[in-house]
Amino acid sequence: MEKIEKSEAEWRAQLTEEQFAVTRKHATERAWSGAYASNKDPGIYHCICCDAPLFDSDTKFESGTGWPSFWEPISAGAVGTETDRKFFMVRTEVHCASCKAHLGHVFEDGPDPTGLRFCMNSASLNLKQK
């Protein structure tokens, strides 16, 4: 997968203020505020920064958390993870494998078949309908 690197100024010019805060500064949008929290349209969710495909709507489920949730990424190499120790807790951060955009976190309380809940920020995604 091609790695994409840009300067902070280039990312700021490309993204909205909220998209930049979430994807480049690891912010989190408020629950239920994102465009895709309750969206049920079929399609592929792409990275807002580099357009890499990340999640298929077929793996999206209603988690009740207020963020779009998926039980697996579109492919094994689409996302990467890192340990996140901010806010006095340990979580697993999820980022785009191509451009390192912060997407959200993954938790082990999701549905079958994986048991995972990829809890993503709508601001980091762009849905391309099928």
Side-chain angles (χ1 to χ4, degrees):
M1 182 174 285
E2 179 184 349
K3 302 295 182 192
I4 297 170
E5 294 184 29
K6 294 183 180 183
S7 68
E8 184 171 319
E10 289 173 309
W11 288 125
R12 281 188 184 278
Q14 175 185 329
L15 303 168
T16 68
E17 188 175 319
E18 180 181 35
Q19 291 167 341
F20 180 81
V22 169
T23 62
R24 308 324 302 178
K25 297 299 183 183
H26 304 258
T28 300
E29 65 195 8
R30 286 187 344 258
W32 306 108
S33 69
Y36 302 126
S38 299
N39 187 295
K40 295 184 184 343
D41 293 338
I44 304 295
Y45 289 85
H46 290 249
C47 177
I48 197 70
C49 293
C50 71
D51 201 37
L54 300 172
F55 297 95
D56 190 306
S57 63
D58 291 343
T59 65
K60 190 174 188 280
F61 67 97
E62 180 52 58
S63 65
T65 62
W67 290 277
S69 298
F70 305 85
W71 47 266
E72 76 176 349
I74 199 160
S75 67
V79 300
T81 60
E82 293 181 11
T83 301
D84 177 359
R85 299 182 187 282
K86 292 187 281 289
F87 305 113
F88 306 105
M89 60 182 126
V90 178
R91 300 179 292 175
T92 302
E93 177 192 355
V94 179
H95 59 264
C96 174
S98 290
C99 70
K100 298 287 274 182
H102 170 74
L103 304 172
H105 293 86
V106 62
F107 303 94
E108 295 180 352
D109 60 0
D112 290 334
T114 64
L116 298 175
R117 174 172 52 96
F118 286 83
C119 189
M120 304 292 97
N121 289 284
S122 291
S124 66
L125 303 173
N126 179 36
L127 176 63
K128 294 187 179 183
Q129 293 190 0
K130 289 182 181 175

